[in-house]
Amino acid sequence: MITVPTFAASRRIETGRVRTVKTAILLMGAGEQVDLIQDVLCSEGYEVHRKEWSELNQSVEPSLLHINLIILVDSEKGQGYRSQQKKEELKQWIDKGQVIPLLVITSNVSPQFIVEWLDYGANDVMEEPVHLNVMLARIRNLLRVFANVKQEGEEVIVVHDLKVNLRSRRVNRAGEYLTLTPKEYELLEFLALHVNEACTRSDILREVWGYEYAMDTNVVDVYIKHLRVKVDKGRSVKLIHTVRGIGYMLHDKN
């Protein structure tokens, strides 16, 4: 059995704890060939998410925001998955997140078809029938190359579809990066490190502002208001909650 390389895993913090997570692969397509590929990937220790074109942009699940690689299996003749509309749909989904390597597996390997996909953004194209060991080697290679682009040892707090990167201090929700002031970020990080815990205004003042004594806690309320506009406004799931008589909480409903 081929061992999954250690660089492929990232570190993620959930409810204040760091854990190692599996490399996640989005597998797109349908049919027995795709079933077989999914079984092989799972047996190698990858976390596989399965979607078809019709499902791609219906919703963005929080788990799909952490995809490390996309495999697109195109077994159809004619226009099928090669249509510009489908390519644009895939591009729109990728643009919601971060840079993700794309491996296309196809029954059509005409030079023009390969050129189109590579120009569009595919990082590798394979011909069916697939030699599974070769496919796994290409996956490892893509992950190795992109590991140099993406930050290794990444420490991220994940709350629903909100990601707080502790190293880069970047925050995104559902793939949309949020512009926060330094103090807004520090407040959000404190709440995220204590997700699902009621944080008093005094605790927030002490830990975020460095005040060791009771002051006017209105400053906390003002910054919470600013955060709500950036994190929750216009979204069906609200993450920042008021705990009456105590303070505030970043609440993960999952």
Side-chain angles (χ1 to χ4, degrees):
M1 180 176 290
I2 301 174
T3 303
V4 179
T6 55
F7 62 80
S10 62
R11 296 173 67 209
R12 188 174 300 159
I13 296 177
E14 296 200 15
T15 62
R17 297 182 180 180
V18 180
R19 66 179 178 86
T20 300
V21 295
K22 292 182 178 180
T23 298
I25 294 178
L26 174 60
L27 180 59
M28 295 184 58
E32 294 182 0
Q33 172 81 321
V34 181
D35 294 337
L36 175 60
I37 292 174
Q38 180 174 359
D39 290 342
V40 170
L41 292 175
C42 290
S43 70
E44 291 294 321
Y46 293 102
E47 177 183 303
V48 180
H49 299 265
R50 184 86 169 262
K51 273 188 175 288
E52 297 184 19
W53 278 113
S54 59
E55 305 173 301
L56 184 59
N57 281 315
Q58 291 178 357
S59 63
V60 179
E61 303 165 22
S63 60
L64 295 185
L65 297 173
H66 316 299
I67 292 297
N68 301 100
L69 181 140
I70 297 175
I71 299 177
L72 187 153
V73 182
D74 174 11
S75 300
E76 291 192 5
K77 300 291 184 180
Q79 51 183 348
Y81 293 161
R82 299 192 299 277
S83 70
Q84 188 62 33
Q85 179 182 358
K86 296 301 184 184
K87 289 182 180 180
E88 287 303 318
E89 288 178 4
L90 181 61
K91 184 177 186 301
Q92 289 172 15
W93 191 89
I94 294 174
D95 287 346
K96 294 177 182 177
Q98 50 194 356
V99 178
I100 305 173
L102 170 63
L103 169 62
V104 175
I105 298 174
T106 178
S107 56
N108 184 340
V109 288
S110 67
Q112 181 58 35
F113 178 79
I114 295 175
V115 168
E116 287 176 0
W117 266 115
L118 292 175
D119 283 345
Y120 161 72
N123 303 100
D124 198 358
V125 180
M126 290 187 66
E127 178 184 3
E128 291 182 331
V130 176
H131 192 293
L132 295 174
N133 282 335
V134 174
M135 180 193 72
L136 291 171
R138 292 193 180 195
I139 289 172
R140 293 196 304 274
N141 182 62
L142 285 173
L143 291 171
R144 183 163 54 246
V145 170
F146 275 75
N148 295 326
V149 177
K150 299 168 75 172
Q151 184 178 24
E152 296 185 59
E154 185 181 48
E155 291 182 343
V156 179
I157 302 174
V158 181
V159 182
H160 189 59
D161 57 354
L162 177 74
K163 293 175 62 179
V164 181
N165 191 311
L166 300 184
R167 294 197 175 190
S168 66
R169 294 170 67 94
R170 298 186 72 184
V171 178
N172 78 68
R173 182 157 187 195
E176 175 189 349
Y177 281 97
L178 310 180
T179 302
L180 305 180
T181 67
K183 194 57 66 178
E184 288 171 350
Y185 169 81
E186 291 168 11
L187 173 56
L188 182 61
E189 178 185 283
F190 177 76
L191 294 175
L193 286 168
H194 298 84
V195 64
N196 296 331
E197 298 177 16
C199 301
T200 68
R201 291 175 175 84
S202 297
D203 286 342
I204 294 172
L205 277 174
R206 182 177 62 253
E207 298 298 329
V208 178
W209 275 267
Y211 299 149
E212 296 295 337
Y213 51 91
M215 294 185 61
D216 182 4
T217 58
N218 182 60
V219 65
V220 176
D221 300 329
V222 170
Y223 273 83
I224 287 289
K225 182 178 180 180
H226 293 166
L227 270 185
R228 279 178 163 153
V229 170
K230 296 181 178 182
V231 174
D232 284 339
K233 186 176 180 180
R235 303 183 189 274
S236 58
V237 176
K238 309 300 182 185
L239 299 180
I240 301 175
H241 295 258
T242 299
V243 183
R244 186 166 299 181
I246 299 178
Y248 298 97
M249 173 192 297
L250 191 65
H251 183 45
D252 186 356
K253 294 184 178 181
N254 288 341

